């Protein structure tokens, strides 16, 4: 680190990165400009060169030694305009008028070869005016969790923020005990949240709500510009995207764990992987987060929480929808009316596809729900049941045996299996085609909690990132078999199971 100074940065390529910072150009009320706080002994422990390429940053810049300084917040690329964003939010339903980036700094935005504009943000980069009682830092465990799980979500085809790099700071951060400090470089379509709108709503700042809505339409929903009422079209689009996002979570057994309005993006991407986890043994009421004692963000609550969040967004937009409050409310209701149909389209259709019935008619969906009920009653593993089921359409005994053994009482599966086969005999899908279609939607690999924890333990206790690399190598292409890595597809044994997760903030 020592040889690299701000002056020599120009030789590295980071100064050539064409940051174009549309959020920084918004009025002062939207952010506070400040640099990350330098750290004493940064070390880059992971870079995502494939992502760099996709977003228009030369992978060689990312792997250059100087990158360590940039990605740890010690050096600022020339065209970056570091800032902390302000936002508000409902945390577990409680209104907080001002939150904001308390431990994150937006370096700036880049536009990729695909024409998509993306934020590059450092998370864990030191205190800001929004840190409240926090230290502005992040620790290695949660940073690794976010890196692994967000990249796994991308591999599953789910809209998400991404992880570009991970650095350790060489500093100790106090949490429950001393922990190694770390910084995640996060990439997202933007970090604008429902809570960003709520902040200005709370300030009764109609002009800023309008400015933000305009920015968001330009950036994320250009089609809304063509609509008769662009603001209404914006609300409608966010509602649909949120419904789709949560539908896609439900289909892989993902529990976000802290779907507060400040963690609910306007773009419809998953962000803030705090206490998130994937279900092993299926149960609809599963909660992992240690602080979610009421189960507000339980697996089966997520669809209605998504609507609750976009309803809070709707409240902030009323002033833009109509001068007449009642008329505005009526319009907003209309815009939100698309939420459940879209959720059902994604979730019902997706669940039918998971059992190999792409026609997705009502009896198909009921059959899929019946399977879920049996899985819940019989302690069956969510991911493995669907993956093994994918190999069973031809009806050979060995493949079927692999599924039924996942149920405490295998006869509960046998009854369902008979109904399932009855349903698809007669349709014209060949068993091999059904198998291929099912394998394409039922992942073999998810970042199972006990494996994520194991990767974190090796890294924090022994600076061994091998288990993380191994886990990442399978979760980024989760629909492939990865011979030799079958152990990473297995559910935890009872002594391996991790049943609680922590925000780690
Ligand atoms: P989260 O629960 O991670 O979504 O964070 C909620 C709020 O707390 C956001 O405003 C964060 O920026 C802030 N926050 C979380 N952890 C810290 C920390 N260690 N230091 C400062 N602010 C934090
Ligand atoms: Mg957050």
């Amino acid at each position: 680190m020592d040889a690299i100074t701000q002056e020599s940065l120009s030789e590295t390529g980071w100064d050539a990165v064409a940051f174009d910072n549309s959020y920084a150009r918004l009025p002062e009320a939207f952010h506070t400009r400040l640099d990350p706080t330098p750290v004493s002994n940064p070390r880059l422990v992971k870079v995502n060169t494939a992502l760099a390429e996709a977003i228009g940053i030369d992978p060689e810049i990312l792997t250059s030694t100087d990158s360590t300084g940039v990605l740890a917040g010690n050096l600022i690329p020339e065209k970056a305009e570091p800032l902390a964003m302000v936002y508000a939010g409902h945390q577990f339903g409680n209104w907080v008028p001002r939150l904001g980036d308390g431990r994150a700094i937006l370096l700036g935005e880049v536009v990729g070869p695909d024409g998509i504009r993306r934020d590059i943000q450092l998370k864990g980069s030191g205190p800001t005016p929004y840190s409240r009682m926090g230290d502005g830092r992040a620790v290695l465990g949660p940073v690794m969790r976010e890196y692994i799980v967000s990249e796994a979500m991308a591999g599953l085809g789910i809209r998400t923020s991404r992880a570009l790099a991970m650095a350790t700071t060489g500093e100790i951060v106090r949490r429950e005990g001393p922990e190694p400090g770390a910084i995640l470089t996060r990439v997202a379509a933007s970090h604008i949240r429902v809570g960003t709108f709520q902040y200005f709503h709370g300030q009764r700042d109609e002009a800023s709500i309008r400015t933000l809505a305009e920015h968001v339409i330009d950036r994320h929903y250009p089609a809304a510009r063509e609509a008769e009422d662009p603001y209404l079209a914006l609300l409608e689009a966010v509602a649909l995207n949120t419904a789709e996002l949560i539908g896609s979570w439900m289909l892989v057994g993902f529990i976000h764990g802290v779907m507060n309005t400040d963690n609910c993006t306007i773009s419809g991407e998953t962000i803030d992987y705090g206490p998130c986890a994937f279900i092993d043994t299926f149960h609809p009421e599963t909660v992992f987060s240690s602080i979610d004692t009421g189960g507000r963000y339980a697996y089966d609550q997520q669809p209605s929480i998504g609507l609750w969040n976009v309803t809070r967004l709707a409240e902030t937009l009323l002033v833009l929808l109509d001068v007449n409050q009642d008329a505005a409310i009526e319009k907003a209701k209309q815009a939100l009316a698309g939420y459940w149909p879209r959720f059902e389209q994604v979730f019902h259709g997706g669940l039918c596809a998971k059992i190999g019935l792409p026609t997705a008619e009502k009896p198909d969906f009921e059959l899929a729900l019946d399977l879920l009920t049996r899985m819940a009653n019989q302690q069956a593993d969510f991911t493995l049941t669907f993956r093994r089921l994918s190999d069973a359409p031809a009806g050979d005994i060995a493949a079927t045996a692999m599924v039924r053994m996942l149920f405490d009482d295998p006869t509960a599966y046998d009854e369902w299996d008979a109904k399932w086969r009855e349903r698809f005999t007669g349709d014209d899908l060949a068993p091999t085609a059904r198998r291929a279609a099912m394998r394409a939607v039922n992942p073999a690999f998810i970042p199972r909690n006990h494996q994520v924890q194991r990767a974190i333990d090796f890294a924090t206790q022994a600076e061994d990132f091998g288990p993380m690399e191994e886990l990442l190598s399978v979760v980024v292409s989760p629909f492939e078999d990865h011979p030799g890595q079958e152990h990473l597809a297995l559910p935890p044994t009872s002594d391996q199971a991790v049943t609680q997760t922590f925000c780690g903030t």
Side-chain angles (χ1 to χ4, degrees):
M1 202 5 251
D2 12 278
I4 313 299
T5 62
Q6 185 73 47
E7 287 65 45
S8 66
L9 194 60
S10 53
E11 293 153 34
T12 70
W14 269 102
D15 275 353
V17 172
F19 284 101
D20 174 61
N21 309 315
S22 67
Y23 207 81
R25 292 193 286 270
L26 292 175
E28 269 178 24
F30 285 72
H31 45 66
T32 300
R33 286 177 193 264
L34 83 165
D35 287 350
T37 306
V39 298
S40 60
N41 192 15
R43 184 176 147 224
L44 208 47
V45 292
K46 183 73 188 160
V47 289
N48 189 343
T49 47
L51 179 63
E53 190 126 46
I55 67 171
I57 295 179
D58 183 348
E60 282 190 20
I61 295 177
L62 203 67
T63 51
S64 68
T65 48
D66 329 298
S67 246
T68 307
V70 171
L71 300 172
N74 289 9
L75 302 173
I76 312 299
E78 192 178 308
K79 298 187 189 72
E81 294 174 86
L83 60 83
M85 297 167 71
V86 67
Y87 52 86
H90 279 94
Q91 297 188 309
F92 289 89
N94 303 309
W95 171 240
V96 185
R98 198 176 87 154
L99 288 161
D101 290 333
R103 52 162 168 172
I105 287 197
L106 177 65
L107 283 181
E109 300 155 28
V110 292
V111 179
D114 52 7
I116 297 178
R117 175 181 293 275
R118 295 180 179 88
D119 280 1
I120 299 189
Q121 190 205 57
L122 301 181
K123 185 171 177 182
S125 51
T128 77
Y130 314 114
S131 297
R132 295 173 293 159
M133 305 302 280
D135 56 10
R137 292 298 180 190
V139 299
L140 185 56
V143 163
M144 286 178 67
R145 178 179 292 272
E146 175 150 358
Y147 193 111
I148 296 165
V149 180
S150 64
E151 287 306 297
M153 292 288 266
L156 289 163
I158 295 173
R159 284 199 299 258
T160 177
S161 67
R162 301 287 304 268
L164 185 65
M166 189 158 61
T168 50
T169 62
E171 295 173 358
I172 294 299
V173 176
R174 297 243 148 238
R175 289 296 179 262
E176 241 89 296
E179 301 254 1
I183 296 177
L184 180 77
T185 306
R186 179 160 75 170
V187 171
S190 83
H191 288 85
I192 302 168
R193 309 132 193 271
V194 169
T196 317
F197 280 90
Q198 286 184 294
Y199 172 75
F200 295 112
H201 182 64
Q203 303 277 312
R204 309 253 182 280
D205 181 353
E206 184 183 331
S208 293
I209 296 174
R210 193 177 299 274
T211 303
L212 184 60
E214 290 293 325
H215 176 82
V216 161
I217 289 171
D218 287 344
R219 188 162 176 182
H220 298 303
Y221 298 101
R225 180 75 63 212
E226 313 307 320
E228 195 184 321
D229 182 342
Y231 301 130
L232 197 61
L234 166 64
L235 177 58
E236 197 165 20
V238 177
L240 295 182
N241 267 356
T242 307
E244 273 175 26
L245 180 70
I246 292 179
S248 68
W249 291 355
M250 302 299 282
L251 291 170
V252 295
F254 176 76
I255 306 174
H256 183 281
V258 58
M259 218 6 203
N260 294 332
T261 56
D262 54 296
N263 292 336
C264 184
T265 57
I266 294 298
S267 66
E269 285 185 342
T270 315
I271 54 159
D272 271 16
Y273 292 88
C276 66
F278 282 79
I279 288 185
D280 293 306
T281 303
F282 180 66
H283 198 284
E285 291 163 19
T286 305
V287 175
F288 286 100
S289 170
S290 61
I291 55 169
D292 191 5
T293 46
R296 179 180 170 91
Y297 300 129
Y299 173 78
D300 65 353
Q301 294 304 303
Q302 297 184 115
S304 30
I305 280 296
L307 180 58
W308 195 88
N309 288 350
V310 292
T311 305
R312 304 286 80 74
L313 173 67
E315 287 164 1
T316 74
L317 293 175
L318 289 178
V319 285
L320 306 186
L321 296 181
D322 205 297
V323 285
N324 176 307
Q325 166 103 354
D326 292 339
I329 290 173
E330 221 23 71
K331 285 182 184 172
K333 277 188 182 157
Q334 260 172 43
L336 298 184
Y339 183 92
W340 284 119
R342 180 60 64 90
F343 173 77
E344 281 167 18
Q345 188 189 7
V346 172
F347 182 61
H348 294 196
L351 210 50
C352 291
K354 284 177 85 68
I355 61 166
L357 301 175
T359 43
E361 284 160 21
K362 197 157 178 262
D364 302 333
F365 178 63
E366 280 161 8
L367 191 62
L369 280 188
D370 182 18
L371 177 61
L372 284 182
T373 306
R374 290 166 193 264
M375 285 161 65
N377 292 339
Q378 302 300 328
Q379 314 275 319
D381 181 79
F382 184 86
T383 304
L384 213 48
T385 299
F386 286 109
R387 181 67 175 188
R388 290 190 178 173
L389 191 67
S390 309
D391 287 331
D396 62 285
I397 290 169
T400 307
M402 292 300 282
V403 190
R404 66 192 299 280
M405 69 186 281
L406 297 171
F407 291 70
D408 279 353
D409 173 8
T411 61
Y413 173 74
D414 295 339
E415 291 162 13
W416 184 86
D417 184 275
K419 292 197 275 180
W420 181 49
R421 290 179 197 287
E422 197 180 319
R423 182 82 197 145
F424 63 66
T425 47
D427 77 12
D428 50 11
L429 205 54
T432 47
R434 199 183 311 274
R435 174 175 184 268
M438 290 175 71
R439 285 169 58 88
V441 295
N442 291 319
F445 297 95
I446 49 159
R448 291 188 184 266
N449 227 354
H450 66 296
Q451 296 293 358
V452 174
Q453 195 55 52
R454 179 169 177 272
I456 291 171
D457 290 344
F458 270 81
T460 34
Q461 288 158 24
E463 290 187 46
D464 179 357
F465 289 88
M468 178 193 77
E469 294 290 351
E470 197 182 41
L471 182 56
L472 267 173
S473 74
V474 297
V475 296
V476 298
S477 50
F479 301 104
E480 286 164 28
D481 280 328
H482 297 285
Q485 304 284 26
E486 291 81 1
H487 62 287
L488 293 174
L490 296 178
T493 56
S494 53
D495 56 327
Q496 286 174 327
V498 178
T499 54
Q500 251 198 347
T501 52
F502 303 88
C503 271
T505 53

